[in-house]
Amino acid sequence: MGELKNCPTCGEFFNYTGIREVCNNCAMNEEKQYEVVYRFLRKRENRAATVERIVEATGVEEALLHKWVRKNRLQPAMFPNLGYPCDNCGKLTNQGKLCKSCTEELKSGLRQFDAAKEFRERVANQDSGTYHMDSKKK
């Protein structure tokens, strides 16, 4: 059973079942817009079009293009200049939630954190070592 939600596009109530984020009317409108964009991109001269050029030529919102690329309806392998914004910096990417530079920065930070943690553990283990002293009586 679905839950009652407001459509983020038009504000109407609809039964959200987890399949679509918008109401049926808006979903049909999005599908028509997708067909316009797809017909535009199928032309050989438009395959390398940027997001800005597609928005200008078709009138489709940039957010919808990003949504379709994120859901693999428009595949960057076929249309190399398409992508969606990185969740961290906003630079266009076409896989995952982060661009390559943000991913590398995050990995570098994690490696640095792991190295620091390992160093702290080694220092803690050295401090808790047992010392033997030879006590001589005079």
Side-chain angles (χ1 to χ4, degrees), residues 41 49-52 54 62-72 74-77 79-86 90-96:
L41 288 173
T50 61
V51 172
E52 292 80 19
I54 297 168
E62 192 172 326
L64 273 177
L65 289 172
H66 295 313
K67 177 181 172 181
W68 294 330
V69 174
R70 196 179 287 266
K71 291 186 173 191
N72 283 328
L74 295 175
Q75 298 176 351
F79 313 112
N81 291 329
L82 289 182
Y84 49 89
C86 168
K91 182 178 157 189
L92 282 185
T93 185
N94 52 27
Q95 64 182 17

Side-chain angles (χ1 to χ4, degrees), residues 112-126:
Q112 189 175 10
F113 176 79
D114 285 343
K117 183 179 175 185
E118 186 178 309
F119 177 76
R120 283 192 302 270
E121 288 173 355
R122 258 189 284 131
V123 168
N125 287 340
Q126 285 177 351

Side-chain angles (χ1 to χ4, degrees), residues 66 70 83-103:
H66 295 313
R70 196 179 287 266
Y84 49 89
C86 168
D87 284 355
N88 189 41
C89 69
K91 182 178 157 189
L92 282 185
T93 185
N94 52 27
Q95 64 182 17
K97 291 186 175 266
L98 301 175
C99 65
K100 289 183 181 182
S101 61
C102 288
T103 301

